[in-house]
Amino acid sequence: MAASLGRLSLHPLSRGLAAEARRSDDAAPYEWTRVQEHAGLGLEAWSPDGRRLRLGTAAWATEGRLPASGSPVAATWLAGPDGALACFTFSEAVRPDAQTTVESLRRAGLALALLSGDASARVRRVAEQLGIDQVQGDATPEAKLEMVALLQCAGHRVAMVGDGINDAPVMARADVSIAIGEGAELTRAKADVVLMSGALVDIAWARETARRAVRVVRQNIAWAIAYNATAVPLALLGQFPAWAAGLGMAGSSLVVVLNALRVDRAPRRASASLRE
């Protein structure tokens, strides 16, 4: 039942539960109705026999019968109106490219913070592995919004990376929002950038590409101003024949296009080296 319900969610724990059931051929089909995902809490739905079931955090799924757990072990609970039915625990591992990405962004001069709705003990453990000092666990969507607002009020420009449905509000508030391609549809809709590869290392690649694109745009604008400032007065004074002006304009456009094509080259080599 939990695996069937978990298939309706994009949360990593729900996806893991559904995947494990598929491997063991132990997932019975259910026709769930009135399905609703609650940000930061879990999934709620009605079974074919009319029972309301919840899959999510201990306190929410059991309606307060079980307290919120500060355990360092990831877990999700299945509960009905009468209480808990099952608890599923999960092992967790940091993404292979997470450390490389953190180091790359830190070398670029960025300050990093980890905000998560997961238990503080689990979040701190991950932050220690990655060397991130600013950490906040058990963070609600409202708490994440408050943190981003405080950073912006202090004069910082904030880039937010997320993939969960509860990240959508803070993604909309951040100066730049980056969604992981495998994340929730609502989060992708709110994001400025979607990493379709799902690779964290592409965050550094996207930033490098954006910075390079801005430099190339400025170069092209400077070239266009310089060309027009020279060619237009000469044409008005009759020192520049019409055929030469037309040829010069075409050549200027070609220079701009060829310069713009350079944007796609160096960042890809840098991204490839980061993956290695």
Side-chain angles (χ1 to χ4, degrees), residues 241-258:
W243 63 268
L247 190 61
M249 182 60 71
S252 175
S253 298
L254 183 60
V255 168
V256 167
V257 170
L258 292 176

Side-chain angles (χ1 to χ4, degrees), residues 186-205:
L186 179 60
T187 304
R188 297 198 304 269
K190 294 290 184 181
D192 300 309
V193 179
V194 179
L195 301 180
M196 299 307 297
S197 67
L200 293 180
V201 72
D202 281 342
I203 297 170
W205 171 78

Side-chain angles (χ1 to χ4, degrees), residues 84-98:
L85 299 175
C87 175
F88 304 91
T89 59
F90 301 80
S91 60
E92 294 181 293
V94 175
R95 288 173 178 254
D97 58 348

Side-chain angles (χ1 to χ4, degrees), residues 181-230:
E182 61 200 29
E185 184 176 348
L186 179 60
T187 304
R188 297 198 304 269
K190 294 290 184 181
D192 300 309
V193 179
V194 179
L195 301 180
M196 299 307 297
S197 67
L200 293 180
V201 72
D202 281 342
I203 297 170
W205 171 78
R207 180 178 181 272
E208 186 177 350
T209 300
R211 290 171 63 85
R212 188 174 178 83
V214 169
R215 289 196 298 268
V216 169
V217 167
R218 288 173 177 166
Q219 291 168 4
N220 286 342
I221 290 175
W223 166 259
I225 291 174
Y227 172 80
N228 285 285
T230 303

Side-chain angles (χ1 to χ4, degrees), residues 22-38:
R22 282 195 297 270
R23 282 193 291 271
S24 62
D25 295 325
D26 195 27
Y30 280 82
E31 295 295 331
W32 299 100
T33 57
R34 297 161 65 184
V35 179
Q36 186 175 5
E37 188 150 15
H38 299 266

